Amino acid sequence: MEQLLFPDIDKTPADYEAMYPPRNLGEGAKVTRFAPSPTGFLHFGSLFAAFIAAQTAGKDGVFYLRIEDTDKKREVENAVEGIVNGLKDFGIIPSEGAISDNAETGAYAPYTQSRRTPIYQAYVKDLVSKGLAYPCFMTEEEIAEIRKAQEAEKALPGIYGKYAKYRGITAEEAKKRIDAGEEYVVRLKSPGKPDGRIKFKDEIKGKIEIQENILDIVLLKKDGTPTYHFAHAIDDHLMRTTHVTRGDEWLSSVPIHLQLFYVLGFKAPKYAHIAPIMKEDEETHGKRKLSKRKDPEAAVSFYAEAGYPAGAVNEYLMTIANSNYEDWKRANKTETIEKFPFALNKMSKAGALFDLVKLHDISKTYISTLDTETVYNAVLAWSNVYDEELYRLITDAPDYARRIFSIERGNKKPRKDIGKWSEVKDYIAYFYDDLFDGEYESIPNVTSEDARAILERYLEIYDPDGAAEDWFPQVQALAEELGFARSPKDYKAEPDRYKGHAGDVSSVIRVAVTGRRNTPDLYSIMQTMGGSKVRERITAAKDALK
Ligand code: GLU
């Protein structure tokens, strides 16, 4: 029978075993994979799954990318490049597998299922020869009728037992039907028993016991390509995967998979089923899955466009992955996530809640620890793709941009002003005449008359070469001269005596120079801008107050 079904297949499982031998890795090294379908959309949940697989493999193991393109209907052009680049944006770089739509790297190739058809067929041929699989000629109509009957009887749906009409088909009958042009699939002759139970330990969900598989599932479809289930067993075996990390929508398929590994004579991998990332629904306040349709942040491209640095997104992914990461980070502030002892069994069984505000906070802290050059280069790379004007500004005067980024950076308590690169333009806008809008925030407690007086007087005493330590004392002297207290404390003690305090005076200067009340250290800003621009700004603000 096997020769009838697969006349052109001449390789045997033994040939493939020899071609793809067990990997030569150190004791305990893990082999993991990310196995997306090339649908053209990389979901944040997929990025998370890839991250988990990469973390599980760690430095000693192997993490590879396999393309599961057996469903041609869902396929999109250049999708592999999209996946590879989507992962790369976050520093997730598989050590083997697909690298573009047409190229792959690694000794266990091909890593694209559509290029592996002869391999699948060789294994099915072997199963058929052993009587463990058979051709099934049932038509769609027959199957639909069976489904209807099963519904009426409240029986388990699928092809098994009395419904498995072709289980005992002879080679002669198969030949007759094939010669008559009938189409067929190849089904597993499931060894499962209706009362059989299987037990296994999921690395995330823990001990699981479920009904074993009794369905004669399809191994090869009518066109000779494999089903997901069969391809998974063959690929993860031949690519020597030790840990299958994947979404928990596959948990209920584990009985099928373990049975396939058993029938094929393969050692089963360990499974780790990842709960989906949840989101609080704004309308119902209940929890739901992060949705491609409803949530822009479900698309991985969202993070690159917004300009969240890879390191920050990785840290955020780790907080979702292992909730003890945050405590660890608090205790190891200067360590990077590579040092964190990630563990599959510390992952949430039910699904962690997605929180954009938290990502933003993590990112602010992360960016605050980067050095000036790193920030400059990251903004350069981001703006090159997403913001031409910003790119031009920072490349026209690179040193000016570097000085801006260096303000209050590198000190003990760096400012956390920037959460993503798309915030940079607004953050630095007042340093550039092209972007400075000449709008001034109003300062409470200071009349326009007083503000004008402050600016007039400040123009007279402003010294572009003045030292940092002289700056505030000078403002205090000016405050005193114009009827303001030297400090908030003095002002509070005798509010009737003063118009305000030195802080209000410096606010007037700050708003004149930057347009804003809240900025980094004003002295550093003025030093960066230089004397003539500072004078211009103060003069313009003074005039605007008239
Ligand atoms: N291709 C499957 C998917 O898109 C992969 C599942 C797995 O990782 O085994 O979900």
Side-chain angles (χ1 to χ4, degrees):
M1 171 103 86
E2 66 280 6
Q3 207 48 31
L4 170 72
L5 303 185
F6 303 101
D8 301 330
I9 294 293
D10 46 17
K11 284 209 172 61
T12 65
D15 295 329
Y16 289 114
E17 292 297 325
M19 267 171 79
Y20 305 112
R23 291 167 183 270
N24 201 355
L25 296 172
E27 178 85 17
K30 299 181 178 101
V31 180
T32 63
R33 83 297 193 279
F34 174 48
S37 297
T39 59
F41 182 85
L42 194 55
H43 193 284
F44 187 75
S46 301
L47 179 70
F48 185 55
F51 173 82
I52 296 303
Q55 287 295 328
T56 303
K59 323 188 267 322
D60 302 330
V62 172
F63 161 62
Y64 68 88
L65 174 63
R66 182 167 74 226
I67 302 300
E68 306 214 320
D69 59 347
T70 53
D71 186 354
K72 290 287 170 195
K73 286 194 288 293
R74 295 171 65 207
E75 207 170 313
V76 162
E77 233 181 285
N78 295 330
V80 177
E81 255 140 67
I83 292 166
V84 171
N85 293 333
L87 296 182
K88 195 158 87 194
D89 278 343
F90 301 97
I92 300 176
I93 301 175
S95 50
E96 284 175 17
I99 45 181
S100 73
D101 285 76
N102 310 310
E104 309 194 318
T105 172
Y108 291 80
Y111 295 91
T112 302
Q113 289 183 332
S114 59
R115 298 183 195 138
R116 298 174 62 77
T117 307
I119 305 178
Y120 304 123
Q121 294 191 350
Y123 279 89
V124 176
K125 185 174 184 179
D126 186 55
L127 290 180
V128 172
S129 79
K130 292 173 174 155
L132 298 170
Y134 63 93
C136 170
F137 294 86
M138 253 189 280
T139 60
E140 303 289 335
E141 293 73 38
E142 277 178 278
I143 292 176
E145 254 164 50
I146 289 176
R147 193 172 308 128
K148 242 200 252 152
Q150 287 169 334
E151 262 168 39
E153 290 169 33
K154 297 212 170 11
L156 173 76
I159 304 304
Y160 57 95
K162 65 176 178 184
Y163 307 104
K165 189 169 152 192
Y166 292 93
R167 241 189 177 217
I169 191 170
T170 60
E172 292 69 41
E173 189 187 345
K175 180 163 184 339
K176 250 205 302 207
R177 288 181 179 271
I178 291 170
D179 288 346
E182 280 187 44
E183 291 187 311
Y184 63 92
V185 299
V186 181
R187 289 186 185 273
L188 172 74
K189 204 178 277 178
S190 170
K193 306 269 178 312
D195 54 358
R197 308 283 293 169
I198 58 154
K199 287 184 194 165
F200 71 98
K201 184 178 158 260
D202 187 90
E203 300 294 300
I204 296 171
K205 310 258 180 190
K207 279 194 190 130
I208 291 185
E209 187 185 328
I210 12 180
Q211 158 72 49
E212 78 173 329
N213 174 57
I214 61 163
L215 304 180
D216 282 1
I217 57 136
V218 175
L219 304 177
L220 289 185
K221 297 181 267 189
K222 284 182 181 159
D223 62 1
T225 62
T227 54
Y228 163 72
H229 300 306
F230 189 63
H232 152 55
I234 299 296
D235 293 349
D236 280 316
H237 169 67
L238 286 182
M239 295 176 190
R240 308 294 169 176
T241 309
T242 63
H243 289 65
V244 169
T245 53
R246 62 183 179 187
D248 68 4
E249 68 273 22
W250 296 108
L251 189 60
S252 60
S253 302
V254 173
I256 293 176
H257 298 160
L258 289 177
Q259 190 170 73
L260 285 172
F261 280 92
Y262 168 75
V263 169
L264 288 159
F266 302 158
K267 178 172 186 275
K270 292 201 156 95
Y271 285 102
H273 285 95
I274 305 168
I277 294 173
M278 307 300 280
K279 172 151 180 170
E280 197 181 285
D281 191 280
E282 274 158 28
E283 281 157 36
T284 64
H285 295 286
K287 275 200 218 172
R288 60 167 172 78
K289 284 189 199 172
L290 193 60
S291 141
K292 173 176 165 180
R293 205 166 40 80
K294 293 188 192 156
D295 310 310
E297 68 271 30
V300 163
S301 52
F302 170 88
Y303 304 87
E305 275 164 37
Y308 282 110
V313 176
N314 272 266
E315 260 195 64
Y316 180 61
L317 289 169
M318 195 61 102
T319 63
I320 321 182
N322 276 187
S323 57
N324 55 324
Y325 171 73
E326 284 176 85
D327 284 342
W328 178 87
K329 181 73 185 179
R330 266 188 286 277
N332 300 275
K333 284 205 173 64
T334 56
E335 293 289 9
T336 55
I337 62 168
E338 287 79 47
K339 294 274 165 59
F340 174 71
F342 166 77
L344 279 175
N345 63 12
K346 291 216 169 72
M347 286 188 65
S348 158
K349 290 183 181 29
L353 208 55
F354 183 85
D355 184 349
L356 203 52
V357 175
K358 188 158 178 180
L359 166 65
H360 201 75
D361 278 349
I362 287 177
S363 192
K364 276 182 169 175
T365 305
Y366 178 84
I367 292 175
S368 78
T369 63
L370 301 177
D371 64 32
T372 299
E373 202 52 29
T374 307
V375 171
Y376 179 80
N377 287 330
V379 176
L380 196 67
W382 181 84
S383 61
N384 191 18
V385 181
Y386 298 105
D387 190 337
E388 223 182 279
E389 186 181 31
L390 177 61
Y391 183 77
R392 190 175 44 72
L393 286 176
I394 68 166
T395 46
D396 278 356
D399 286 335
Y400 185 52
R402 285 191 180 92
R403 269 185 283 135
I404 296 170
F405 293 136
S406 73
I407 293 173
E408 288 194 64
R409 186 170 293 284
N411 49 8
K412 258 213 190 115
K413 268 191 107 197
R415 285 179 70 94
K416 299 180 181 176
D417 291 309
I418 305 170
K420 50 186 177 184
W421 305 130
S422 51
E423 289 175 352
V424 165
K425 188 150 94 181
D426 180 60
Y427 174 68
I428 65 173
Y430 54 82
F431 284 96
Y432 295 91
D433 292 338
D434 283 359
L435 298 180
F436 182 66
D437 52 16
E439 303 270 335
Y440 303 100
E441 276 189 44
S442 63
I443 301 142
N445 313 327
V446 183
T447 64
S448 328
E449 235 164 64
D450 283 330
R452 209 164 47 234
I454 290 168
L455 295 178
E456 250 161 35
R457 195 58 196 110
Y458 187 68
L459 270 180
E460 289 165 19
I461 57 171
Y462 168 58
D463 173 10
D465 300 320
E469 59 273 22
D470 298 337
W471 191 81
F472 202 65
Q474 196 182 37
V475 171
Q476 286 179 310
L478 177 61
E480 201 163 28
E481 183 187 323
L482 296 176
F484 290 77
R486 293 181 73 90
S487 70
K489 207 169 124 228
D490 293 352
Y491 174 64
K492 264 198 204 126
E494 294 173 275
D496 295 338
R497 204 180 134 189
Y498 300 109
K499 293 176 174 169
H501 57 77
D504 300 322
V505 174
S506 72
S507 280
V508 171
I509 302 169
R510 185 185 308 275
V511 168
V513 173
T514 68
R516 301 179 188 182
R517 286 178 56 201
N518 187 8
T519 72
D521 176 51
L522 184 54
Y523 173 79
S524 307
I525 291 174
M526 296 201 297
Q527 291 307 106
T528 305
M529 279 187 176
S532 64
K533 197 192 290 296
V534 170
R535 282 219 167 83
E536 257 169 49
R537 289 281 168 89
I538 295 178
T539 309
K542 183 170 67 76
D543 293 347
L545 282 166
K546 276 189 187 146

